[in-house]
Amino acid sequence: MMHIERDVSLASQIARALRLRLRHDYPAGGRLPSEPDMAAAFGVSRGTVRQALTILEREGAIFRRHGSGTYANRHVLRIQTRAEMAYEFTDLLRLAGFDASIRLLAVATQPLPDDVAGRLNGESASEGLVVRKLFLADQHPAIFCVDMIPTCAILAPYDDAELRKPIFEFLEHRCHQSIDYCVTEIVPEVADQELGTLLEIVPGRPFVRFDEVGYSKANEPVLFSRVYYNDRYIRFSVLRKKV
Amino acid sequence: MMHIERDVSLASQIARALRLRLRHDYPAGGRLPSEPDMAAAFGVSRGTVRQALTILEREGAIFRRHGSGTYANRHVLRIQTRAEMAYEFTDLLRLAGFDASIRLLAVATQPLPDDVAGRLNGESASEGLVVRKLFLADQHPAIFCVDMIPTCAILAPYDDAELRKPIFEFLEHRCHQSIDYCVTEIVPEVADQELGTLLEIVPGRPFVRFDEVGYSKANEPVLFSRVYYNDRYIRFSVLRKKV
């Protein structure tokens, strides 16, 4: 079992490395090296390379032509920000070509809104840690994020300063949880005076809000985030397949 | 080769059948039957069932626990409308619980906007067939869709009445193309007077527009669609994974 898990995670690492290389070296498409050549270049088995390629094929980043080889998919690789991929916000902004920084606005322990508590295991999640952060792109506000974690999920003492770092790290170190996936609702919004000021959006202009529940590897909801994106800096695309 | 393709498409069919069954029979989660039992129930090989389960696992609809079996993922199954999945609009509305109907508003052959032509192979796509349709949910306008196909891609004569049917059928019959995937940009918008009237949205209220390019199996752009969703009827969610 451990052996399989290690393999899977190694394939994910190779996929991550290949993903970056594809964006840099194959922006116009083109044929990839053979599997044995990639295996040699990464110093891993051919099976691991094949697993990594399967991950990238499912994402649409590459495609295979029968009897001809594996190709980079320029239509997919040129997508700036894919909604299906949960990047840390600073990585997201850097990938979009900006200098990224974080401003911690507020940390509080307070009652959670009923709809949020309901999505985070109900009753037991009525009180939570609420963290408000602003992510800057070249010093301009680009993403405003409100993270909420049920107080009962926090297992170890912490210092507020830790909350400047990605919330995933806090969840790992203080809640002993890691997020496996998020279910994210895409909500269209119009900037009011307050959000307009915060995100430098003209009041009355539209933007996208993500309401997302983060689930742990044990498939329990452990994080609720409400995220407001200034679409001058971040605009999402998604790859859609017929089912 | 043919044998493999047939297998893949059979696995997709089983995955589609299982997907519907999961939504109906396992809304609260629960353990699925064993692979041999499912193979017997569907009258297919165990390998095909395993492929179908892999598709559903990548979607997040099921998860596996080491040594314990395969489980329905209620957090994912209860998502009404997933952005990663391209349903036909009438299916989308029916899945959301509405009676669905189509109103063909206009059909025209006209110059395509430069940005659209640019995304559809440039110069050669300067003129196109433009089809405007409204999709109704319980008789109320829910989705307004503008499909654009370069004139040069249309290979057979057609009757305007055909354009009441899904555009995918038109592409197959008249362009000999089938869409493999779409790359869709999620654009926040505010209703103006015209769209407000068309979609029964109060002017000034936000909604989501999808700008999507459909790519053929040969990975060529063959369709551009601009789709406006009234979020009273359709709201999208997306499953996001860390990369």
Side-chain angles (χ1 to χ4, degrees):
Chain A
M1 285 304 176
M2 275 314 289
H3 182 63
I4 293 173
E5 291 213 338
R6 211 169 48 226
D7 270 6
V8 169
S9 104
L10 185 55
S12 300
Q13 281 173 45
I14 302 297
R16 194 175 299 135
L18 270 172
R19 200 181 283 120
L20 288 173
R21 196 168 295 188
L22 283 167
R23 280 178 79 131
H24 285 101
D25 298 350
Y26 296 84
R31 188 161 166 231
L32 271 63
S34 70
E35 287 178 8
D37 285 355
M38 282 193 268
F42 283 110
V44 298
S45 75
R46 200 172 152 177
T48 302
V49 166
R50 204 173 294 133
Q51 278 182 62
L53 292 176
T54 300
I55 293 172
L56 294 170
E57 190 180 18
R58 306 267 338 168
E59 285 175 19
I62 60 166
F63 60 96
R64 295 173 211 227
R65 284 210 177 108
H66 293 304
S68 152
T70 303
Y71 292 80
N73 187 346
R74 64 196 169 95
H75 304 308
V76 173
L77 288 168
R78 72 171 164 218
I79 302 175
Q80 184 85 250
T81 311
R82 282 182 67 173
E84 316 92 297
M85 299 187 179
Y87 287 99
E88 279 168 17
F89 295 134
T90 47
D91 290 340
L92 196 68
L93 291 170
R94 278 186 208 114
L95 275 174
F98 300 106
D99 219 40
S101 55
I102 304 177
R103 192 180 297 159
L104 181 60
L105 299 180
V107 177
T109 297
Q110 61 185 67
L112 296 179
D114 285 348
D115 64 314
V116 173
R119 297 204 231 184
L120 292 174
N121 277 341
E123 279 298 290
S124 59
S126 62
E127 194 194 67
L129 174 67
V130 179
V131 183
R132 280 161 223 272
K133 275 190 279 197
L134 198 59
F135 293 80
L136 308 170
D138 292 346
Q139 304 301 322
H140 292 285
I143 304 169
F144 171 51
C145 171
V146 184
D147 289 318
M148 307 182 207
I149 299 169
T151 311
C152 60
I154 303 172
L155 304 173
Y158 62 91
D159 190 281
D160 279 4
E162 294 171 37
L163 295 162
R164 289 193 73 255
K165 292 201 236 164
I167 202 75
F168 300 121
E169 286 185 26
F170 181 86
L171 281 164
E172 263 173 48
H173 297 148
R174 304 306 178 195
C175 308
H176 307 158
Q177 297 281 7
S178 75
I179 300 283
D180 187 43
Y181 67 95
C182 295
V183 173
T184 302
E185 194 178 17
I186 300 167
V187 185
E189 269 218 39
V190 163
D192 59 13
Q193 197 65 51
E194 194 185 338
L195 264 166
T197 305
L198 197 59
L199 278 175
E200 294 179 1
I201 299 176
V202 176
R205 291 293 310 150
F207 66 94
V208 163
R209 188 181 95 205
F210 278 7
D211 281 358
E212 52 193 10
V213 180
Y215 293 91
S216 67
K217 292 207 190 302
N219 210 26
E220 295 297 328
V222 291
L223 170 70
F224 182 86
S225 302
R226 193 156 272 165
V227 190
Y228 306 79
Y229 294 95
N230 182 334
D231 82 338
R232 206 183 316 156
Y233 304 102
I234 296 290
R235 195 174 265 197
F236 288 95
S237 291
V238 60
L239 193 140
R240 313 182 73 203
K241 287 216 165 219
K242 283 198 81 173
V243 287
Chain B
M1 283 303 176
M2 275 313 290
H3 183 65
I4 291 174
E5 290 213 338
R6 211 167 51 224
D7 271 6
V8 169
S9 103
L10 185 56
S12 300
Q13 281 173 43
I14 302 297
R16 194 176 298 136
L18 270 172
R19 202 181 284 120
L20 287 172
R21 197 169 292 190
L22 284 166
R23 279 178 81 131
H24 285 101
D25 299 351
Y26 296 85
R31 189 165 163 226
L32 271 62
S34 71
E35 286 178 9
D37 285 356
M38 282 193 268
F42 283 109
V44 297
S45 75
R46 200 172 153 177
T48 302
V49 166
R50 204 173 296 132
Q51 278 181 61
L53 293 176
T54 301
I55 292 172
L56 294 169
E57 189 180 19
R58 304 271 332 172
E59 285 175 20
I62 60 167
F63 60 96
R64 296 174 210 228
R65 284 210 176 107
H66 291 306
S68 153
T70 304
Y71 293 81
N73 187 348
R74 64 194 169 96
H75 304 308
V76 173
L77 288 169
R78 73 171 164 220
I79 303 174
Q80 185 84 252
T81 311
R82 282 182 67 173
E84 314 93 299
M85 299 185 179
Y87 288 99
E88 278 168 16
F89 295 133
T90 48
D91 290 340
L92 197 68
L93 291 170
R94 279 186 206 114
L95 275 174
F98 301 105
D99 220 39
S101 55
I102 304 178
R103 191 181 296 159
L104 181 60
L105 300 180
V107 177
T109 296
Q110 60 185 69
L112 296 178
D114 284 347
D115 64 316
V116 173
R119 296 203 232 184
L120 291 175
N121 276 343
E123 279 299 292
S124 59
S126 61
E127 191 195 65
L129 174 67
V130 178
V131 182
R132 280 160 224 272
K133 277 190 278 195
L134 198 60
F135 293 80
L136 309 170
D138 294 345
Q139 305 300 323
H140 292 286
I143 305 170
F144 171 51
C145 171
V146 184
D147 289 318
M148 307 181 208
I149 300 170
T151 310
C152 59
I154 303 173
L155 305 174
Y158 62 92
D159 189 283
D160 280 5
E162 293 171 39
L163 295 162
R164 288 194 74 253
K165 292 201 235 163
I167 202 76
F168 300 121
E169 287 183 27
F170 181 86
L171 281 165
E172 264 172 49
H173 298 147
R174 304 306 180 195
C175 308
H176 308 158
Q177 297 282 8
S178 75
I179 300 283
D180 188 43
Y181 67 94
C182 296
V183 173
T184 301
E185 194 178 19
I186 300 167
V187 185
E189 267 219 37
V190 164
D192 60 14
Q193 198 66 48
E194 192 185 339
L195 264 166
T197 305
L198 196 61
L199 279 174
E200 293 179 2
I201 300 175
V202 176
R205 292 292 310 151
F207 66 93
V208 163
R209 187 181 95 205
F210 278 7
D211 282 357
E212 50 194 15
V213 179
Y215 293 91
S216 66
K217 293 207 192 298
N219 211 26
E220 295 297 328
V222 290
L223 170 71
F224 181 86
S225 303
R226 192 155 272 164
V227 190
Y228 306 78
Y229 294 94
N230 182 333
D231 83 337
R232 206 183 317 153
Y233 304 101
I234 297 291
R235 196 174 265 197
F236 288 95
S237 291
V238 60
L239 193 139
R240 313 181 73 202
K241 287 215 166 220
K242 284 197 81 172
V243 288

